[in-house]
Amino acid sequence: MKSYIKGMGTYVPDRIVTNDDLAKRFDTSDEWIRQRTGIEERRYAEEGIGTSDLAKEAAVRAAADAGIEIEQIDFIILGTLSPDHHFPGTACYLQPKLELAGVPCLDIRQQCTGWVYGMTLADSLIKTGPYQNILLVGSEVHSHALHFDDAGRDVTVIFGDGAGAAIVSPAPEGSERGVLAHALHADGRHADRLCYRLFDISRIPLADAEYLESVENAWPYMEGRHVFKEAVVRMPEVVREVLASTGHTIDDIDLLVPHQANLRINEYVVSSLGIAPEKVINNIQRFGNTTAASIPIALDEARRNGQVSQGDLVCLVAFGAGFTWGAVTLRL
Ligand code: COA
């Protein structure tokens, strides 16, 4: 038995924030941001709107696209690095918004690789369990926890808010559609190079004022160059690995959907793999890095604009905090 994507949905907040808007708040420029990252604008949620709210809108759209009623969803997997609360998981806040009491809920905290890990998990649950319609959603509201100051500018300019979702179901019998292979990795020796230590409550008492006053602890911390250097090696490596596991080659790929962290990273990946740029989707220019949501948002856009069709070979590839990385191949 195979699992396949039955339907997809995207939701991004209406509010567009341009590079020039950011340059009014701290020392940066449209030129710097475009040149280093390719980003032109991103979306920000309004105050009071959280990750589970965006996830709900994407989920409703994915169910409609799949032609199912919300109540047919029988498992919820949610990837995020910007949870509604430290605990419980954000899937538990999404579930009542969808009126799905009783349906199992699972958060995965694999950051930018969240949706690739989630797709692997959904595929395994379909193959081994009784599930018919798994909601897999990546959702992020970063904008409420970014440092709008010169000290946080390297991180702040990159991230945006948004959600992308899929309904993952057993593939129709005899169909060529469905997940073909996955390859997942992690190397926690790099965990402290891209992290958010604010909720370090198992090690440091939350009331430790000195700890909280440190900029490195109070705001997301990133060693950008180190992340960049690892990403451009790990992403092509894992694409080759996942293709080799089913005897496919780079030429067989109809669409590569890379995580949208930095357009320059993706340009390196494309040239390293030797894949034609028209077989790759990039939309970071308009959304920034939406972490766990970036792959479903990009894949959904490619489906809707005709860049990919049913039955095409699609390769999803991501790299992110942890470090974690992975790839999935599927026939759409
Ligand atoms: N605007 C203007 N100047 C900025 C800036 C900003 N937003 N952010 C950093 N700078 C400055 C730095 O202060 C530094 O100035 P200095 O030379 O006077 O010290 C200079 O630009 C270069 O900084 P550096 O951090 O070395 O830049 P970089 O070329 O590595 O680019 C990133 C920074 C963040 C764009 C880049 O490292 C990157 O994208 N890395 C990957 C990050 C990533 O993918 N994260 C998501 C995880 S999946």
Side-chain angles (χ1 to χ4, degrees), residues 163-237:
I167 302 295
V168 184
S169 300
E173 225 174 294
S175 167
E176 60 163 1
R177 301 176 69 187
V179 173
L180 302 178
H182 14 83
L184 300 179
H185 296 282
D187 186 348
R189 289 174 299 179
H190 302 274
D192 278 342
R193 291 172 176 252
L194 177 54
C195 59
Y196 192 8
R197 302 190 186 104
L198 180 61
F199 298 110
D200 215 351
I201 55 176
S202 71
R203 291 194 312 129
I204 316 277
L206 201 51
D208 185 332
E210 200 182 321
Y211 175 80
L212 284 177
E213 272 166 21
S214 154
V215 168
E216 284 188 4
N217 295 330
W219 299 104
Y221 173 77
M222 180 176 78
E223 293 177 23
R225 289 205 167 196
H226 184 73
V227 176
F228 196 109
K229 281 182 193 161
E230 281 283 319
V232 297
V233 173
R234 297 306 188 184
M235 288 170 79
E237 194 176 84

Side-chain angles (χ1 to χ4, degrees), residues 79-81 111-115 137-140 164 259 290-296:
T80 191
L81 78 60
Q111 298 60 251
C112 301
T113 320
W115 216 75
V137 50
S139 184
E140 305 285 358
H259 166 53
T290 55
T291 313
S294 88
I295 286 186

Side-chain angles (χ1 to χ4, degrees), residues 28 32 36 112 153-154 157 194 222 224-225 261-262 289 319:
T28 190
W32 193 97
R36 305 282 176 125
C112 301
R153 62 185 178 171
D154 54 335
V157 298
L194 177 54
M222 180 176 78
R225 289 205 167 196
N262 183 323
N289 180 351
F319 178 90

